[in-house]
């Protein structure tokens, strides 16, 4: 029997209708807020849920800083860099020996600079280097207690180094949070884990669930059943009411009546609307979570500003998504076909969080 998340009640439906009008306005204006730079595909871990299948020795070489900076210079000709966050990611961005220099160059051009890291190379010395280079935000991945985290990350050292990174961050003024991918291994002790994070000094916590793509497609133990998924939603609702730690669910997809309950904002896909990415090979795409072929250009032959202004139609005009399970769904008005990262190369929906 199919198990759905609760249908939005009347009051929440009115709120979602208002949010849709706001989203339509944002789509029309499509002001860039975040730009992800996949500065490397190399990684010092072998995570079993990796969507991009990063590896220690990547076939695609790191993008040279001098190739990326013209993109920023181009953006500055038409947009306010002070309103845009550049997020260095990968792979693992800290494997680049010049990562601090990259961040410094980003800040010198007036942009804000953030990072997503597994924490393996984030010790006090690295922390000081990044702070001096102007790092403003960072997210550290920690997927449960030691056994579960190390299993997921493929390293016996990954837990202690991520914990070390968090301890370093508690002594800084950087805006940071912890990201946890909930799966069969850590679902059973989320309450205990929450207390551990609070004691560690974590103020902001984000929970993800894992979609079956990349390496994760070969690990069914990473997936949650419908009942377990709802258990996670109820856990988030409970923790948010306690207000001892700021917890939210990721922007994975539309959640029915859990909208406004597990996040501070209603769901909408920002890919191609307020978020873009530069992939390691120069491809211009939406959110970096999108691994299907929805590229809109390439920095080695196109100007990013022109691509951003004149392309991204698949992201901003969603009628083409009104097919398959979305055709007769009564949530289409609110969901608009779910996240772009949940569509395969043929446009088929791989996962519906609501259903």
């Amino acid at each position: 029997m199919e198990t759905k998340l609760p249908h939005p009640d009347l009051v929440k439906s009115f709120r979602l209708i208002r949010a849709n009008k706001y989203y339509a306005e944002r789509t029309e204006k499509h002001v860039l807020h975040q730009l992800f730079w996949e500065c490397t595909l190399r990684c010092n871990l072998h995570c079993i849920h990796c969507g991009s299948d990063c590896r220690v020795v990547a076939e695609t070489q790191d993008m040279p800083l001098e190739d990326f900076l013209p993109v920023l210079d181009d953006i500055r000709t038409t947009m306010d860099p002070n309103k845009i966050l550049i997020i260095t990611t990968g792979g693992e961005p800290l494997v680049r020996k010049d990562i601090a220099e990259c961040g410094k160059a980003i800040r010198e051009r007036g942009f804000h600079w953030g990072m997503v890291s597994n924490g393996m190379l984030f010790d006090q010395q690295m922390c000081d280097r990044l702070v001096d280079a102007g790092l403003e935000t960072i997210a550290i991945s920690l997927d449960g207690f030691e056994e579960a985290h190390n299993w997921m990350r493929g390293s016996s050292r990954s837990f202690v180094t991520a914990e070390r990174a968090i301890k370093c961050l508690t002594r800084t003024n950087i805006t940071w949070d912890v990201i946890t991918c909930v799966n069969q291994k850590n679902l059973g002790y989320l309450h205990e884990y929450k207390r551990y994070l609070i004691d560690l000094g974590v103020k902001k916590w984000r929970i993800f669930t894992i979609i079956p793509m990349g390496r994760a497609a070969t690990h069914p133990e990473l997936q949650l059943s419908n009942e377990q998924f709802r258990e996670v939603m109820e856990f988030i609702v409970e923790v948010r009411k306690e207000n001892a730690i700021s917890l939210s669910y990721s922007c994975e997809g539309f959640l029915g009546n859990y909208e406004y309950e597990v996040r501070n904002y209603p769901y909408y896909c920002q890919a191609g609307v307020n978020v873009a990415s530069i992939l390691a090979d120069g491809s211009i795409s939406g959110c970096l979570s999108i691994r299907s072929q929805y590229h809109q250009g390439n920095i080695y032959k196109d100007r990013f500003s022109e691509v951003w202004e004149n392309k991204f139609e698949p992201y901003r005009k969603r009628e083409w998504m009104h097919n398959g399970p979305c055709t007769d769904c009564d949530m289409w008005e609110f969901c608009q076909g779910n996240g772009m990262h949940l569509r395969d190369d043929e446009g088929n929906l791989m996962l519906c969080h609501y259903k």
Side-chain angles (χ1 to χ4, degrees):
M1 180 178 178
E2 188 178 67
T3 303
K4 289 186 179 181
L5 296 178
H7 193 288
D9 57 37
L10 186 59
V11 173
K12 195 164 292 180
S13 293
F14 280 120
R15 293 182 71 186
L16 289 171
I17 290 171
R18 289 199 303 269
N20 272 9
K21 292 180 179 178
Y22 176 62
Y23 176 53
E25 294 174 359
R26 293 186 69 154
T27 302
E28 183 177 357
K29 295 178 180 177
H30 50 267
V31 177
L32 183 66
H33 293 162
Q34 291 184 346
L35 177 64
F36 288 87
W37 178 27
E38 190 180 56
C39 63
T40 182
L41 282 179
R42 293 181 295 135
C43 189
N44 46 9
L45 291 179
H46 191 82
C47 305
I48 63 174
H49 69 301
C50 182
S52 55
D53 197 24
C54 299
R55 60 199 72 194
V56 174
V57 180
E59 295 176 1
T60 302
Q61 298 298 309
D62 295 356
M63 180 182 290
L65 176 61
E66 55 266 29
D67 290 1
F68 180 66
L69 292 182
V71 176
L72 300 186
D73 293 335
D74 171 47
I75 290 174
R76 291 198 303 165
T77 63
T78 58
M79 308 176 204
D80 183 355
N82 192 49
K83 296 180 179 179
I84 301 173
L85 173 64
I86 309 298
I87 304 175
T88 47
T89 184
E92 169 52 46
L94 293 184
V95 302
R96 287 186 64 130
K97 295 185 182 300
D98 67 342
I99 190 62
E101 289 72 20
C102 293
K104 184 178 180 181
I106 291 169
R107 291 294 292 123
E108 286 175 344
R109 282 160 174 76
F111 295 87
H112 299 283
W113 175 39
M115 181 184 296
V116 179
S117 174
N118 60 36
M120 285 284 286
L121 299 175
F122 196 98
D123 55 14
Q124 190 59 56
Q125 183 179 7
M126 177 62 75
C127 182
D128 293 341
R129 282 185 61 205
L130 297 177
V131 170
D132 289 344
L135 183 69
E136 296 173 85
T137 70
I138 187 169
I140 299 293
S141 297
L142 190 63
D143 301 307
F145 291 124
E146 189 162 9
E147 180 183 358
H149 180 79
N150 289 347
W151 164 77
M152 196 164 176
R153 300 287 165 173
S155 168
S156 61
R157 295 181 57 250
S158 59
F159 178 85
V160 295
T161 52
E163 186 181 61
R164 177 188 64 190
I166 292 169
K167 290 178 179 178
C168 290
L169 288 168
T170 61
R171 299 187 289 269
T172 73
N173 293 321
I174 294 176
T175 299
W176 59 278
D177 65 353
V178 167
I179 300 174
T180 299
C181 292
V182 176
N183 58 83
Q184 301 282 351
K185 289 275 190 178
N186 58 21
L187 177 64
Y189 57 67
L190 287 179
H191 285 280
E192 183 182 358
Y193 182 61
K194 173 201 68 177
R195 174 48 52 188
Y196 157 77
L197 291 178
I198 293 173
D199 292 343
L200 193 59
V202 177
K203 305 296 184 183
K204 297 178 67 177
W205 182 23
R206 272 185 292 164
I207 279 180
F208 280 73
T209 48
I210 301 168
I211 61 175
M213 62 184 294
R215 294 178 194 157
T218 63
H219 290 275
E221 66 272 26
L222 294 174
Q223 312 304 318
L224 301 178
S225 67
N226 291 350
E227 292 75 15
Q228 289 172 329
F229 184 76
R230 290 183 61 145
E231 181 182 340
V232 173
M233 295 299 105
E234 291 295 332
F235 169 78
I236 296 174
V237 170
E238 178 184 343
V239 173
R240 286 170 65 87
K241 289 179 179 177
E242 294 172 352
N243 204 31
I245 186 172
S246 176
L247 174 61
S248 63
Y249 184 62
S250 65
C251 55
E252 281 292 297
F254 179 74
L255 299 170
N257 205 40
Y258 285 114
E259 291 296 323
Y260 291 103
E261 302 295 329
V262 297
R263 291 182 288 236
N264 295 333
Y265 51 86
Y267 166 77
Y268 65 89
C269 182
Q270 298 185 65
V273 176
N274 302 125
V275 176
S277 298
I278 305 297
L279 276 62
D281 64 357
S283 297
I284 301 171
S285 186
C287 172
L288 199 58
S289 296
I290 300 168
R291 307 315 300 187
S292 300
Q293 299 300 313
Y294 292 102
H295 307 330
Q296 301 298 296
N298 191 291
I299 65 168
Y300 292 110
K301 61 183 182 67
D302 304 301
R303 284 186 61 194
F304 176 86
S305 59
E306 291 181 355
V307 171
W308 177 255
E309 185 59 35
N310 300 315
K311 294 192 177 182
F312 283 92
E313 184 171 331
Y315 295 80
R316 298 169 186 166
K317 296 181 179 180
R318 297 295 189 105
E319 292 79 7
W320 65 273
M321 292 185 175
H322 202 198
N323 58 20
C326 298
T327 304
D328 56 359
C329 179
D330 57 357
M331 291 293 102
W332 167 260
E333 179 184 4
F334 305 133
C335 177
Q336 296 287 303
N338 226 327
M340 284 290 292
H341 69 292
L342 299 174
R343 297 277 169 170
D344 64 18
D345 288 336
E346 285 71 46
N348 301 312
L349 185 63
M350 296 183 287
L351 180 69
C352 173
H353 292 78
Y354 175 65
K355 289 185 176 180

